């Protein structure tokens, strides 16, 4: 018989994080602890992480559904999955706790060269939104820390200022020296997106994430077909759980890349299915964390390493919080290294 418990954890940002959905100073997670009567005291740990306004999971319903799960954890998995169909973050947390429990409860979920400390995962340096001077300082810091791929969130300040920031970076560092990705978080409109992509494309950018809001398939397909700048779908994948719907989305939009956030798309099995579908269509992909604590970040990093990735991944958010859990993940010169079990 299995037994499940959970506790709420509110992460506090060291510096408020600016996004196109506003400024974040705190973020809630729920930590799951799963045991089995046959596991001799071993506990599997998982994190349920939500971002209000982005996650499909409804924050007001989280504890109600978690309490349901505690009471019904021994139902057949298919019944649990049906009940959690609208709660991808809970599915992710439960999946992580199950994998951890089966692997011995040491937060050693996947056996790879990365988890053994033998090889790193390349990552991008995330530049949070801010005013022009703040973002410029952050970019210089990332370059001095050894990053060779940076991701800049755009949409918080005047677009012309953001262009000027990127122009200045390119005047000092070529595309061979530093790869630049930008993330619009759906901040452009179908009317201005093509023109803005043309302006951005002057600076040899790697790609742009989610230039317009999700669920505008025809408009997004047009932008991808123009091939002005490689487009990566991010928020577009949230809430698309049916296999046929996933195929239809990729076949209709035909993006250059997709971005996988396991806690937003339903976990590792769902992410693996997205990867399979994308690979069949010659669509590239990379994974990113989504403001999880070190518990969730550790799990996502280990899963990512099981895919032998080459592209820089978005796994550098573990340093954001002042009250994070202990971690044995380290960033060294723009690469993520594992130094042991995290919990």
């Amino acid at each position: 018989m299995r037994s499940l418990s959970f506790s709420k954890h509110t992460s506090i940002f060291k510096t408020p994080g600016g996004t196109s959905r506003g400024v974040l100073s705190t973020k809630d997670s729920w930590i799951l602890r799963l045991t089995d009567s046959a596991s001799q005291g071993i506990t599997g740990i998982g994190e349920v992480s939500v971002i209000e306004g982005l996650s499909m999971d409804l924050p007001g319903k989280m504890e109600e559904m978690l309490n349901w799960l505690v009471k019904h954890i021994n139902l057949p998995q298919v019944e649990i999955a049906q009940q959690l169909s609208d709660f991808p973050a809970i599915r992710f947390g439960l999946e992580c706790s199950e994998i951890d429990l089966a692997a011995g409860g040491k937060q050693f979920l996947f056996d790879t060269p990365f988890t053994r400390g033998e090889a790193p995962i390349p990552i991008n340096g995330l530049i949070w939104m801010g005013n022009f001077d703040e973002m410029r300082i952050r970019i210089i810091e990332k370059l001095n820390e050894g990053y060779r791929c940076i991701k800049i969130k755009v949409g918080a300040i005047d677009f012309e200022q953001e262009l000027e920031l990127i122009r200045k970076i390119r005047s000092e560092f070529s595309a061979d020296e530093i790869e630049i990705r930008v993330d619009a978080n759906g901040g452009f409109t179908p009317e201005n997106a093509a023109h803005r992509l043309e302006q951005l494309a002057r600076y040899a950018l790697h790609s742009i994430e989610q230039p317009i809001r999700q669920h505008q398939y025809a408009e997004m397909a047009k932008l991808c077909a123009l091939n002005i700048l490689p487009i990566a779908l991010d928020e577009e994948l949230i809430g698309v759980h049916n296999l046929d719907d996933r195929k239809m989305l990729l076949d209709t939009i035909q993006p250059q890349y997709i971005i996988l956030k396991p806690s937003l798309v339903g976990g590792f099995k769902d992410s693996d299915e997205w990867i399979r579908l994308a690979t069949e269509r010659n669509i590239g992909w990379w994974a990113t964390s989504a403001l999880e604590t070190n518990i969730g970040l550790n799990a996502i990093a280990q899963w990512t390493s099981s895919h032998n990735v080459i592209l820089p991944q978005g796994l550098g958010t573990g340093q954001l919080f002042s009250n994070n859990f202990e971690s044995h993940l380290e960033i060294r010169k723009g690469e993520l290294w594992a130094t042991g079990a995290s919990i």
Side-chain angles (χ1 to χ4, degrees):
M1 295 288 288
R2 301 197 301 175
S3 176
L4 180 72
S5 64
F6 68 89
S7 58
K8 187 175 182 179
H9 177 83
T10 299
S11 296
I12 301 171
F13 282 79
K14 294 176 182 177
T15 301
T19 75
S20 61
R21 285 171 289 275
V23 177
L24 301 174
S25 57
T26 63
K27 195 199 75 67
D28 292 334
S29 296
W30 289 262
I31 308 305
L32 305 185
R33 291 174 173 83
L34 181 67
T35 60
D36 191 298
S37 57
S39 64
Q40 299 180 334
I42 295 172
T43 299
I45 296 177
E47 177 180 355
V48 178
S49 174
V50 297
I51 303 175
E52 193 163 355
L54 179 60
S55 300
M56 184 178 173
D57 307 65
L58 299 174
K61 293 284 189 179
M62 292 301 293
E63 297 207 2
E64 177 184 331
M65 183 52 67
L66 286 170
N67 280 315
W68 178 91
L69 185 59
V70 167
K71 294 177 182 177
H72 299 90
I73 190 63
N74 289 297
L75 284 178
Q77 286 195 341
V78 64
E79 292 186 33
I80 292 176
Q82 288 172 351
Q83 289 293 325
L84 298 180
S85 60
D86 292 333
F87 292 85
I90 297 180
R91 298 207 310 272
F92 165 71
L94 179 60
E95 182 180 25
C96 289
S97 67
E98 290 173 334
I99 296 172
D100 187 30
L101 178 64
K106 298 180 180 179
Q107 289 287 282
F108 191 84
L109 282 66
F110 295 86
D111 186 8
T112 68
F114 169 76
T115 60
R116 296 193 297 271
E118 300 167 1
I121 298 174
I123 61 174
N124 61 246
L126 176 62
I127 309 300
W128 284 90
M129 288 178 171
N131 64 43
F132 183 85
D133 291 334
E134 289 171 341
M135 293 180 72
R136 184 176 183 277
I137 290 170
R138 292 168 187 166
I139 289 170
I140 292 172
E141 288 174 348
K142 291 297 182 187
L143 297 177
N144 289 339
E145 289 168 8
Y147 285 90
R148 289 297 170 259
C149 176
I150 58 173
K151 171 180 164 179
I152 303 172
K153 286 185 174 288
V154 296
I157 60 177
D158 180 75
F159 182 66
E160 294 302 322
Q161 289 190 55
E162 292 167 339
L163 276 178
E164 178 63 12
L165 181 68
I166 294 170
R167 186 195 68 76
K168 286 184 176 179
I169 300 169
R170 271 291 169 254
S171 70
E172 298 180 43
F173 302 94
S174 71
D176 291 332
E177 294 173 294
I178 191 76
E179 180 177 282
I180 300 176
R181 299 170 176 174
V182 295
D183 182 1
N185 284 127
F188 301 164
T189 68
E191 292 73 28
N192 67 24
H195 179 59
R196 290 190 171 187
L197 293 183
E198 289 171 353
Q199 292 175 286
L200 289 166
R202 300 171 186 168
Y203 304 110
L205 305 186
H206 173 270
S207 57
I208 182 168
E209 298 180 27
Q210 204 69 43
I212 62 174
R213 286 185 297 105
Q214 63 266 48
H215 309 316
Q216 302 181 88
Y217 285 14
E219 291 83 356
M220 188 72 86
K222 290 177 184 177
L223 290 175
C224 292
L226 288 172
N227 203 23
I228 300 168
L229 188 61
I231 289 174
L233 302 185
D234 183 359
E235 289 92 338
E236 200 76 66
L237 309 186
I238 298 172
V240 185
H241 302 311
N242 179 276
L243 175 60
D244 290 336
D245 290 341
R246 290 174 175 176
K247 291 178 179 179
M248 185 271 290
L249 183 150
L250 295 179
D251 290 337
T252 300
I253 298 179
Q254 298 184 42
Q256 283 77 28
Y257 298 99
I258 60 172
I259 298 170
L260 295 164
K261 293 182 170 74
S263 63
L264 296 181
V265 302
F268 298 139
K269 290 179 182 177
D270 285 69
S271 297
D272 287 339
E273 183 171 87
W274 276 113
I275 291 171
R276 178 180 64 80
L277 295 174
T279 302
E280 290 172 354
R281 292 159 175 77
N282 295 314
I283 296 170
W285 68 274
W286 65 88
T288 78
S289 50
L291 303 182
E292 295 86 1
T293 71
N294 283 329
I295 294 174
L297 176 61
N298 173 64
I300 294 169
Q302 291 192 33
W303 166 78
T304 301
S305 74
S306 72
H307 286 277
N308 300 313
V309 294
I310 298 174
L311 289 177
Q313 308 291 302
L315 302 174
T317 61
Q319 301 170 316
L320 293 175
F321 307 126
S322 62
N323 60 335
N324 212 335
F325 296 94
E326 182 184 358
S327 174
H328 292 277
L329 297 176
E330 291 183 359
I331 297 175
R332 307 173 195 164
K333 296 183 179 180
E335 295 177 325
L336 189 67
W337 286 84
T339 61
S342 288
I343 303 299

